[in-house]
């Protein structure tokens, strides 16, 4: 009887340790999501606090995004020889310290530099966290494991961002950076405690990681993210204007709208991880048309408050379904250089952020209205599907395993 119970108890312990390890990695995503998106809700307070203009305050967000784009490949390559757990610990410590420098930054120039520094570990952490999570489960559950790590980022939009925004408004905007620093320190302790140690691959090197950049399918996957996901950000960037000026909602409803968008992201991320485990490219082929359709319906539904709220959830959900599949695709396309390839996904998504916001702003400036960015997003999703189709066609001629 005792012998029968022993394997069951061991399996239960293993399941619990797996859950705690993934939770620790997801906490890092929660910290990153909070520091990235709460800045947008506190932009007016930051303007007054630093005595800067709105465009200058916007540059602080751009500086963070630039840090993500630069830091993802640099840290992933430089950390190639390190055990992945050690790299994750170092990146989270870097994030905590960088946010604390934002807390004490005395002027605009220093704040700009500290926000750039805060963005540097973003992509590399998600990249190495995805690789660690995928290594802890069976190959058929990689999409699920990656989606659980990414859930930290999406949950941040539901809990972390509204809470940090409220605290920043009530007790001072600089408190945001202390909160993120504390979450980062807690995450470091959780990773140290629960994530299992695995020695670095004996053949790991900067040159080997950079070898991922020689693979065409890696670039195709990144391009799918940049173009196909651009519509998600084109809509999200101007969602407050759409809800107030088109749907006729009061400004007090905007936090609810953002939270609803975040809930859609959480649901879409989890569902996207599940279906990616069945077929990565099949998920991409199905999700991109769904994004395009959702954005077209959103453009129509945005004229009524009740339908706008429904479609806010749907758009957040369909967009987030794409991320686990893209992350898994990059791991498949570069199995011997997973950290860099996986990290580059977040550089691509931040380029998508800039692209979507820019194109959405262009059509608004042309006088096409606040629903126009969603239609631009639908076009981008269709173009992303075209890139995915070309990627699949070339893969059939030369499989990834060749």
């Amino acid at each position: 009887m005792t012998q029968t119970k022993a394997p069951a108890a061991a399996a239960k312990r293993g399941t619990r340790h797996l859950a705690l390890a993934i939770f620790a990695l997801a906490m890092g995503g929660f910290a990153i999501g909070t520091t990235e998106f709460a800045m947008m809700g506190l932009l007016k307070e930051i303007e007054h606090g630093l005595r800067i203009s709105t465009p200058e305050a916007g540059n602080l967000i751009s500086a963070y995004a630039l840090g993500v784009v630069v830091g993802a490949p640099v840290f992933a390559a430089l950390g190639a020889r390190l055990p992945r757990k050690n790299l994750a610990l170092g990146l989270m410590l870097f994030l905590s310290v960088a946010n604390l420098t934002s807390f004490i930054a005395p002027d605009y120039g220093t704040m700009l530099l500290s926000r750039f520094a805060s963005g540097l570990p973003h992509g590399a952490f998600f990249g190495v966290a995805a690789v660690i999570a995928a290594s802890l489960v069976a190959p058929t559950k990689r999409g699920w494991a990656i989606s659980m790590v990414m859930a930290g980022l999406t949950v941040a939009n539901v809990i972390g961002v509204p809470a940090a925004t409220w605290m920043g408004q009530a007790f001072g905007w600089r408190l945001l950076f202390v909160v993120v620093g504390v979450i980062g320190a807690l995450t470091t302790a959780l990773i140290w405690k629960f994530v299992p140690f695995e020695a670095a691959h004996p053949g790991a090197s900067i040159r080997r990681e950079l070898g991922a950049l020689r693979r065409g399918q890696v670039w195709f996957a990144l391009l799918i993210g940049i173009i196909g996901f651009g519509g998600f950000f084109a809509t999200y960037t101007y969602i407050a204007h759409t809800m107030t000026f088109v749907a006729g909602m009061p400004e007090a409803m905007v936090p609810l709208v953002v939270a609803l968008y975040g809930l859609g992201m959480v649901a879409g991320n989890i569902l996207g991880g599940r279906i990616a485990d069945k077929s990565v490219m099949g998920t991409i082929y199905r999700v991109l048309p769904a994004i395009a359709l959702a954005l077209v319906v959103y453009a129509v539904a945005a004229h009524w408050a009740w339908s706008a709220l429904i479609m806010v959830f749907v758009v957040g959900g369909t967009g987030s379904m794409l991320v686990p599949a893209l992350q898994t695709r990059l791991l498949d396309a570069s199995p011997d250089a997973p950290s860099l390839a996986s990290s580059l996904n977040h550089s691509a998504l931040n380029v998508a952020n800039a692209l979507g916001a820019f194109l959405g702003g262009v059509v608004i400036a042309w006088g096409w209205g606040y629903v126009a960015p969603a239609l631009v997003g639908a076009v981008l999703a269709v173009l992303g599907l075209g890139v995915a189709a070309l990627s699949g066609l070339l893969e059939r001629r030369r499989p990834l395993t060749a």
Side-chain angles (χ1 to χ4, degrees):
M1 191 69 158
T2 305
Q3 291 178 344
T4 305
K5 289 182 177 179
K12 188 175 181 180
R13 284 196 303 272
T15 302
R16 184 170 65 250
H17 290 162
L18 170 63
L20 289 170
I22 291 180
F23 174 77
L25 297 170
M27 278 293 293
F30 184 84
I32 289 172
T34 301
T35 194
E36 179 179 18
F37 295 113
M39 284 284 291
M40 300 172 187
L42 293 171
L43 216 54
K44 288 184 179 179
E45 286 76 12
I46 293 171
E47 290 173 26
H48 295 145
L50 293 176
R51 298 178 182 177
I52 56 178
S53 66
T54 299
E56 287 175 323
N59 288 339
L60 295 174
I61 295 174
S62 299
Y64 182 93
L66 181 61
V68 178
V69 174
V70 172
V74 170
F75 275 134
L78 292 178
R81 291 183 178 272
L82 292 175
R84 288 168 185 152
K85 178 177 179 176
N86 292 359
L87 178 58
L89 287 169
L91 291 168
M92 194 46 54
L93 279 174
F94 190 105
L95 178 79
S96 298
V97 172
N99 273 275
L100 292 175
T101 64
S102 294
F103 173 70
I104 62 174
D107 52 42
Y108 174 65
T110 311
M111 180 63 77
L112 201 66
L113 184 61
S114 73
R115 293 318 294 160
F116 173 79
S118 297
L120 288 173
H122 176 132
F125 178 83
F126 275 120
V128 72
V131 175
I132 293 172
S135 71
L136 296 177
V137 298
T140 55
K141 292 186 175 181
R142 290 181 309 156
W144 170 82
I146 290 170
S147 73
M148 289 298 98
V149 171
M150 292 301 300
L153 180 65
T154 55
V155 170
N157 282 278
V158 181
I159 300 174
V161 173
T165 301
W166 174 80
M167 284 189 289
Q169 291 173 339
F171 304 107
W173 58 272
R174 288 183 184 269
L175 185 61
L176 161 67
F177 307 116
V178 177
V179 170
V180 174
V182 170
I183 296 172
L186 175 61
T187 301
T188 303
L190 290 173
I191 292 174
W192 179 82
K193 176 69 174 177
F194 296 116
V195 173
F197 178 85
E198 183 180 345
H201 193 282
S205 66
I206 294 177
R207 182 175 182 180
R208 180 172 175 169
E209 288 290 332
L210 292 176
L213 300 178
R214 294 198 298 267
R215 295 185 172 90
Q217 288 295 353
V218 169
W219 288 104
F220 272 118
L222 296 174
L223 198 57
I224 293 168
I226 291 171
I227 298 175
F229 210 68
F232 179 88
F233 288 110
T235 306
Y236 192 31
T237 302
Y238 303 101
I239 194 169
H241 295 78
T242 306
M243 293 299 106
T244 53
F245 293 121
V246 180
M249 295 182 192
E251 288 189 8
M253 286 282 289
V254 172
L256 173 63
V257 171
V258 174
L260 196 59
Y261 205 91
L263 285 172
M265 291 171 64
V266 173
N269 179 65
I270 295 171
L271 180 59
R274 292 292 186 184
I275 62 177
D277 282 331
K278 296 179 180 178
S279 172
V280 174
M281 287 304 293
T283 300
I284 294 172
Y285 291 148
R286 291 175 177 85
V287 170
L288 285 168
I291 292 174
L293 178 61
L295 290 173
V296 171
V297 175
Y298 169 86
V300 178
H303 292 85
W304 302 275
W306 66 270
S307 55
L309 288 173
I310 293 173
M311 289 312 300
V312 160
F313 178 86
V314 172
V315 170
T318 53
S320 293
M321 286 172 65
L322 187 62
V323 178
L326 288 176
Q327 198 84 52
T328 308
R329 176 67 173 173
L330 283 164
L331 292 177
D332 290 341
S334 190
D336 56 343
S339 296
L340 178 60
S342 186
S343 299
L344 286 172
N345 190 35
H346 298 275
S347 293
L349 296 182
N350 273 268
V351 174
N353 188 348
L355 175 66
F358 171 74
L359 292 178
V362 168
V363 293
I364 290 173
W366 286 350
W368 291 8
Y370 288 113
V371 298
L375 299 176
V376 169
V379 173
L380 289 174
V382 172
L383 292 175
L385 179 62
V387 176
L390 179 58
S391 173
L393 177 63
L394 294 176
E395 183 183 3
R396 284 192 290 274
R397 295 181 179 178
R398 185 176 182 182
L400 291 177
T401 55

